[in-house]
Amino acid sequence: MLTPLAAVIVYYLVLAVAISTKKPGVKREVIRSRDGPGGYINLTSASNEPVALSVSTLGGVRNATAPLLYGWQFEDINHSGDGGIYAEMIVNRAFQGAYPGVPGGSIVSSENPIIPTAPVLNGYRSIGGARLTLDLFHSLSPTLPTVMEVDIPSNATGEVGFINEGFWGFDVSPQTYNVSMYLLANGPRGNYQKLTGLTVSLRSNTTSEVFASTKISLTHPSFFDYTALTAQLVNTAQAPDTNNTFAVTFDASEVAGATFYFGLISLFPETFKDRPNGLRKDLALAVNDLNPKFLRFPGGNNIEGFSITERWIWNETIGPLINRKGRAGNWDYFNTNGLGLLEYLQWCEDIGMEPLLAIYSGFSLDIFGYGGNGVSNGGTSYPEDRMGEVLQSALDELEFCMGDVSTQYGSLRAQYGHAEPFNINYVELGNEDWFSGTYPYRFPILYDGIKAAYPNMTLISTAYNEATGQGFNYTIDLPKDSMWDTHHYEEPSFFFKSFNFWDNWQQETGNEDVTVLVGEYSVYQIDTPDGVVNYSNPADEHITYPRLISAIAESVYLLGAERNPNTVKMTCYAPSFENYNGDNWTPDLVLFNTDPAQTSRSVSWYSQSLFAHYRGTETLPISNSQGDFDPLWWGAAIDTPLNIAYVKVINSGNETVPLSISFDVRYSDVNGTIITSPDPNGSNFFGNQTAIVPLPIPIPASASNNSSNSSIFQWDVPKYSISVLQFNL
């Protein structure tokens, strides 16, 4: 029997086989480079031959650019949700399930060796000799049956209670924190006549300083119903580090010999857009600042579950937190479901992103293995005659999102604070369902059922021809006006060679009326002689943090997508976030820890942000009269309302390339932005977050040669660079 972590490893070993066979038409050739990590960058050319381009603004064929091309993919992996963008600061706040490795060395692990995901006391420490145990006899709610029992010694003196260690500490900075918890007293075990209240505080483990403290009045604690307690901690101090704790304490003289039960203990900082139960500001800003046009959520593998019962169930993620039981997530830690369906939709609303909602499609990643080809049983699927249940759940979920207040679930959404319906135009039917042999019957049941209710909705298939690499002999017939989600974790050269992959994809595959979502992609390892991705992550091959060469290769691939806006409609990098203290998968777009000041946006983040901000409204015809693609790559677009042309230029080679661009009109001025570094393996990291960032291009006046009705721009394109040139027409 595999542990969850071992199962994940097996899954991605199988994934390696699938991805390596996704694009059989892409060939690789190995060329040794002077600058390559390990001696290899598998480029097809090391030429510095000059390139001459002509941009036509007055004639030729234009295509509307894909307005949603750049988006954000999110699933709770790498503690990116709980312990990440979901701003809750208390670890194990409701004793829902196991938190392996959380928090630091001051806690003796209390993992349950019999039931691996059972509730634990991880994250809590006693103050003043209080005894902390788990209790099932005084449940907070049917969905949160486990609470923490706090027994106060009869001889206790001074301060007594408990602390929480947080997700690897607490960021304590000048702001107002919101505290909430539920408390129940045990009548027979204490005399509560002296009780005046309890104190909550933020404290330093480094200096023992109490940064902020407030007393919550409590004179007659209930022995029958839980009392909801709330408070605010107004803090003016800046802690020297994140080695801090949250404390709940009593005056021992008031409670000696008493017993209390605590549940759903919560501490929130100030959140993005001031949303209650909201998002951590710095991480939400990292999403916002990229300028994404859609959010793909909630997964990813995490939607599927390690079993059918532990899948992401939409209606278990809505409503008051006291009614959300949580689940054993797919990435080796418990999910609170505090970041639920409504929070995702509000996230889209707050940033202006189109929701791309992934629904459960009837397939779960069973812990005993994945895939076909004799490796395992392909997970667990709903039988065909039970798929009506999956369809109905999806329709109910969509009614919650889109129904008016006269409908059952639209009314429920309004009850939870959002009367206005959301607009859902894109729904993905599962995730990577090519790991199963059952998608051929599951897909049409879901597709036809949802299309009947929402005929104008774009439905996305998570499989096309990939399943043949898993030992399953099928190809999904993609319906007219549907979309295909393809995933790629590859070497740099895969993305270089795939620059023109989408040029004629629709015609060559017979999918003239099908569009594409590149729903997950990243450069995963350096180029190797055999070009095969190794998911055991050898240190001399695996890329842990996105490098400049990663961003260059990914940008070439994205440039190819920009050239084909009628085919590729959406792209998003994955995974998006990595909590440095507890990760499952690297590389990731944004690296963070408990300290917001250390949040690091990767080179890949900056390159995508650059492309997303300078996209244009129509493609422009651009031709080459000298030189060819590789190592220089290019594309052109125009923002018609602003009358601004953008030319994107990437140099993937190790030498400067002379470039000239001629226009059939006179431009008034030109400026540009560049991402570059002498080291193609350079990256951004804690303490050096801006090692490689976009910078203005110093363009001398002599670079432009203007006549009355045309212009020529000349520039030497630096090696290892990603640039956007802006020509004001």
Side-chain angles (χ1 to χ4, degrees), residues 69-100:
L69 186 61
Y70 295 104
W72 194 275
Q73 191 272 354
F74 182 85
E75 70 171 311
D76 200 339
I77 181 177
N78 299 321
H79 280 282
S80 58
D82 289 310
I85 197 169
Y86 180 52
E88 175 65 78
M89 303 182 82
I90 300 294
V91 68
N92 197 14
R93 67 179 180 186
F95 316 101
Q96 293 162 292
Y99 285 82

Side-chain angles (χ1 to χ4, degrees), residues 23-307:
K23 296 289 182 288
V26 176
K27 299 179 181 178
R28 297 178 174 87
E29 58 180 328
V30 176
I31 294 181
R32 186 174 293 275
S33 166
R34 292 190 297 273
D35 299 290
Y40 289 96
I41 294 181
N42 299 349
L43 302 180
T44 56
S45 173
S47 170
N48 66 341
E49 177 188 356
V51 173
L53 304 176
S54 297
V55 177
S56 176
T57 65
L58 301 177
V61 178
R62 295 185 181 186
N63 291 298
T65 59
L68 304 179
L69 186 61
Y70 295 104
W72 194 275
Q73 191 272 354
F74 182 85
E75 70 171 311
D76 200 339
I77 181 177
N78 299 321
H79 280 282
S80 58
D82 289 310
I85 197 169
Y86 180 52
E88 175 65 78
M89 303 182 82
I90 300 294
V91 68
N92 197 14
R93 67 179 180 186
F95 316 101
Q96 293 162 292
Y99 285 82
V102 179
S106 61
I107 295 297
V108 176
S109 176
S110 55
E111 296 300 316
N112 188 322
I114 307 301
I115 307 175
T117 60
V120 293
L121 270 174
N122 281 24
Y124 292 88
R125 266 197 291 137
S126 168
I127 294 177
R131 188 183 71 152
L132 310 182
T133 56
L134 294 176
D135 178 90
L136 288 168
F137 296 103
H138 302 83
S139 295
L140 176 59
S141 69
T143 48
L144 298 178
T146 306
V147 296
M148 182 171 66
E149 179 179 323
V150 181
D151 296 309
I152 312 299
S154 58
N155 61 350
T157 59
E159 183 183 55
V160 63
F162 61 88
I163 66 168
N164 184 275
E165 300 247 353
F167 288 94
W168 299 280
F170 289 85
D171 169 57
V172 178
S173 56
Q175 61 178 308
T176 298
Y177 298 83
N178 288 302
V179 180
S180 63
M181 66 189 74
Y182 289 86
L183 176 144
L184 179 71
N186 186 306
R189 290 193 185 178
N191 182 345
Y192 301 94
Q193 294 180 356
K194 297 181 181 179
L195 180 63
T196 60
L198 56 83
T199 299
V200 293
S201 59
L202 285 165
R203 309 176 173 198
S204 172
N205 278 333
T206 303
T207 66
S208 300
E209 179 181 357
V210 176
F211 299 112
S213 176
T214 191
K215 187 168 184 177
I216 303 175
S217 177
L218 181 67
T219 55
H220 298 90
S222 174
F223 309 143
F224 186 74
D225 289 321
Y226 273 87
T227 301
L229 303 176
T230 60
Q232 287 191 324
L233 279 172
V234 180
N235 177 58
T236 59
Q238 178 65 56
D241 53 38
T242 58
N243 187 18
N244 307 307
T245 59
F246 173 75
V248 178
T249 57
F250 298 92
D251 181 339
S253 67
E254 297 180 359
V255 295
T259 291
F260 298 94
Y261 306 97
F262 286 86
L264 195 55
I265 305 159
S266 177
L267 179 73
F268 270 84
E270 296 173 4
T271 60
F272 184 69
K273 302 286 187 179
D274 298 319
R275 288 275 190 190
N277 195 49
L279 305 180
R280 181 171 143 174
K281 279 186 175 180
D282 62 305
L283 300 184
L285 282 171
V287 181
N288 181 80
D289 294 351
L290 187 134
N291 195 30
K293 297 306 179 185
F294 70 89
L295 177 69
R296 176 178 178 247
F297 69 93
N301 299 140
N302 204 41
I303 195 175
E304 295 162 308
F306 270 133
S307 67

Side-chain angles (χ1 to χ4, degrees), residues 6-16 301 365 370 431-432 435:
V8 168
I9 293 172
V10 169
Y11 168 63
Y12 279 103
L13 288 174
V14 176
L15 178 64
N301 299 140
L365 300 170
Y370 316 90
N431 174 74
E432 293 180 347
F435 273 114

